[in-house]
Amino acid sequence: MVTAQGQVPPVVQLPVGRLRGALEGGVSVFRGVPYAEPPVAGLRWRPAQPHAGWSGTRDATVDGPSAPQMYVEGGDPVLGGHGSPPFDDDCLTLTVWTPSADDAARPVLVWIHGGGFVSGSGSLPNYSGETFARNGDVVVVSINYRIGPLGYLYFGAEGGGAERGQGGAAVGAGNYWLTDQVTALRWVRDNIARFGGDPDRVTVAGQSGGAVSTAALAGHSDAQGLFRRVILQSPPFGLRIPTPAEYLPRTAAYLEISGVKDVGELRALPWPRLIEAAGGLFGQTMRWGYWPAPFLPVRDGVTMSRHPAQTLLHGAAADIDVMIGWTREEANFGFALDEGHGTAAKEQVIERIAETFPDGAAEVYAAYERTRPGARPVDVLMDLISDELFRVPAVELAEARAELGRPVWAYQFDFQAPAYDGRLAAAHCLELPFVFDNFDKWSHAPLVAGIDPAVRNGLAHAMHRAWISFVRTGDPNHPDLPTWGRYEVPSRVTMRFDSVTAAVGDPAGHSRLLHQRVPR
């Protein structure tokens, strides 16, 4: 077969079938590749099962459906949307970008999208692996996995059993999203060499909820040895990960909203009804001054035994190379444009602070106020949320890794978005187009509007190349970047990415010291 442009499409023979991809931007791309059986009907809320394969040659030029999620035509005022149709619960596919489907044994980057556990897709143009494949000579895999109620509901004894359970599964397992991701990593181990990748040189990277996934995989017994490096971008490690007893009331509320009695009846509902009910759970679980998270991972004792923030400190996971970072104003993403928070009074913010700091909330408010002259109450609130949900837990992981003598590289993204008169500042997600160096794929996002192209291009080059270096060597340093030392105590070297990028000492020191008084 020859395309209209006279090109021969790339073809790969896998153990489960043959794939025909496409040439895009100078790299070979294979889209909509199934890595697990469709999680529909009786497999809904069951652990992922490897795909049985297909006969003949499968067309791999079109993305598979994204996982079902809430969708608003026209998108949101920050990202302009984070998931687009088509949606379907038959969504367990992945995309591969490779310089060539040969035997070159290149490093592999596996990308896990974020989205607050309720939105996103690995096949979004934002997350195209084309730039990494072309500029870094690496193979990139981006996955779709179950999110929202289909991935994160937990049913306890009623549920689908443990991940090991291709038969007598243990009672009480959950985290179906995690079984999807483990199955995808096994697919990478078994197949990536046919795409020119090295299964022994895999880096898993994720942002936000995807970073939580990445850390959870590091501690999963069935994922041991499947990757050697992780990149954790803005992990919300400050989230409380509930126990089964803490999660089941949330499941009961969801069942009530759905109008069914148990998981059996829930399996009979079409997925649009499930997503509609998810909106009701949002309403029941939202709290003023907190990032909304109606669906969460669960420490079920089968697929997850400890908080993901702790996994990289124990066992074989302690030997994994780690890069971790955060944006300076993470919480501005969710709160800077919200009138209900923007008009908050000082007393209201102090009351919210008191929920984290029962003693001395007014003093904590004053401490935050001193770091930001002219701060409004909402600015203090956003700094508090950024610290307790993102920055401080990330620093604590870096501190703990450093104390163990394990490799960890830390960064802080400080570049300020000019959008909305600067109100978003260095918000959650802003580093993503710089990391992927693909601003042409982000033109729909208000977040990136008005950025000076010269500054944008220089910073994107520095970050993109640092990520490539880390994927290839486990060290983010490269000739176009200031020397980036490992995070160690007491130096606490952290790379500050901004219009002028530099390695600095302990940029999160104020937050780190302030939050040491909070019991964890």
Side-chain angles (χ1 to χ4, degrees):
M1 177 179 177
V2 179
T3 68
Q5 293 75 34
Q7 298 174 323
V8 178
V11 175
V12 170
Q13 180 67 53
L14 305 180
V16 295
R18 188 177 175 89
L19 291 171
R20 181 172 54 247
L23 293 170
E24 301 176 14
V27 302
S28 297
V29 186
F30 299 83
R31 300 181 181 276
V33 181
Y35 65 85
E37 287 294 305
V40 301
L43 290 182
R44 187 181 273 181
W45 296 299
R46 302 280 186 187
Q49 304 296 318
H51 199 273
W54 56 89
S55 59
T57 300
R58 183 185 180 99
D59 179 77
T61 61
V62 179
D63 292 318
S66 298
Q69 55 196 275
M70 287 180 279
Y71 175 71
V72 178
E73 193 73 39
D76 65 84
V78 180
L79 293 181
H82 194 231
S84 57
F87 302 118
D88 197 83
D89 46 0
D90 178 3
C91 61
L92 300 186
T93 63
L94 52 79
T95 306
V96 181
W97 293 264
T98 178
S100 180
D102 52 26
D103 59 357
R106 298 174 179 86
V108 179
L109 171 63
V110 176
W111 175 255
I112 303 179
H113 72 80
F117 314 121
V118 295
S119 74
S121 171
S123 50
L124 283 171
N126 311 32
Y127 303 138
S128 169
E130 180 184 311
T131 51
F132 277 103
R134 185 173 57 245
N135 301 332
D137 194 33
V138 301
V139 178
V140 182
V141 179
S142 185
I143 66 172
N144 287 340
Y145 59 95
R146 285 173 282 182
I147 55 179
L150 288 160
Y152 288 86
L153 277 178
Y154 175 74
F155 300 100
E158 288 190 88
E163 180 180 357
R164 309 175 192 284
Q166 300 198 15
V171 170
N175 297 320
Y176 306 107
W177 57 277
L178 188 54
T179 74
D180 297 345
Q181 295 168 7
V182 171
T183 303
L185 284 177
R186 288 172 172 161
W187 185 96
V188 170
R189 176 197 62 195
D190 297 339
N191 295 284
I192 206 65
R194 294 171 173 85
F195 296 88
D198 184 348
D200 294 322
R201 289 199 292 166
V202 175
T203 299
V204 179
Q207 185 263 353
S208 193
V212 172
S213 293
T214 300
L217 287 165
H220 197 296
S221 59
D222 290 342
Q224 297 300 306
L226 296 182
F227 55 99
R228 64 164 63 177
R229 299 183 182 110
V230 297
I231 301 175
L232 307 173
Q233 298 177 212
S234 301
F237 283 155
L239 286 171
R240 177 174 176 78
I241 306 300
T243 64
E246 292 167 335
Y247 205 112
L248 285 172
R250 188 172 297 212
T251 301
Y254 181 83
L255 290 170
E256 183 177 358
I257 294 167
S258 302
V260 301
K261 296 190 298 292
D262 55 34
V263 63
E265 292 186 7
L266 207 58
R267 283 194 175 102
L269 295 182
W271 67 256
R273 285 276 304 279
L274 302 176
I275 300 305
E276 182 182 351
L281 193 62
F282 254 105
Q284 288 196 15
T285 56
M286 289 183 71
R287 297 170 60 197
W288 190 90
Y290 289 88
W291 201 290
F295 299 98
L296 290 165
V298 58
R299 284 186 289 130
D300 59 6
V302 180
T303 62
M304 184 184 296
S305 298
R306 52 168 56 98
H307 195 296
Q310 297 296 314
T311 58
L312 290 154
L313 306 176
H314 300 275
D319 292 326
I320 291 174
D321 297 329
V322 175
M323 182 199 295
I324 188 168
W326 54 91
T327 72
R328 173 64 184 84
E329 285 90 13
E330 295 272 9
N332 289 37
F333 176 96
F335 300 93
L337 305 181
D338 178 68
E339 185 176 348
H341 290 87
T343 58
K346 178 177 179 179
E347 293 72 24
Q348 191 176 10
V349 174
I350 290 175
E351 287 178 8
R352 168 61 179 84
I353 292 173
E355 296 178 24
T356 301
F357 297 86
D359 301 317
E363 289 80 0
V364 171
Y365 184 99
Y368 272 113
E369 203 173 30
R370 285 194 295 272
T371 67
R372 193 184 291 271
R376 301 165 299 155
V378 67
D379 299 321
V380 173
L381 175 65
M382 287 188 286
D383 282 349
L384 171 78
I385 297 170
S386 296
D387 276 351
E388 66 183 20
L389 189 55
F390 297 101
R391 182 165 38 241
V392 170
V395 169
E396 288 175 344
L397 174 57
E399 294 267 311
R401 291 272 303 185
E403 289 172 4
L404 291 173
R406 305 297 187 179
V408 57
W409 311 82
Y411 71 88
Q412 178 170 295
F413 185 85
D414 278 19
F415 182 79
Q416 307 285 296
Y420 297 106
D421 298 322
R423 281 188 288 163
L424 292 174
H428 191 65
C429 293
L430 182 57
E431 91 285 4
L432 285 166
F434 292 91
V435 167
F436 280 84
D437 195 7
N438 63 349
F439 275 84
D440 58 314
K441 309 293 187 186
W442 290 78
S443 59
H444 64 287
L447 179 66
V448 303
I451 297 176
D452 179 80
V455 175
R456 177 196 71 195
N457 294 343
L459 181 54
H461 175 82
M463 296 189 73
H464 184 59
R465 292 292 173 177
W467 265 241
I468 288 171
S469 294
F470 186 81
V471 169
R472 296 192 63 84
T473 69
D475 185 330
N477 282 284
H478 66 85
D480 299 327
L481 189 74
T483 300
W484 185 349
R486 282 167 45 166
Y487 188 98
E488 296 175 336
V489 178
S491 64
R492 299 183 172 89
V493 170
T494 303
M495 185 59 73
R496 174 181 279 158
F497 287 107
D498 202 342
S499 53
V500 176
T501 293
V504 298
D506 202 15
H510 173 269
S511 301
R512 176 177 56 82
L513 295 172
L514 185 61
H515 282 256
Q516 281 181 352
R517 56 197 284 185
V518 179
R520 297 196 184 276

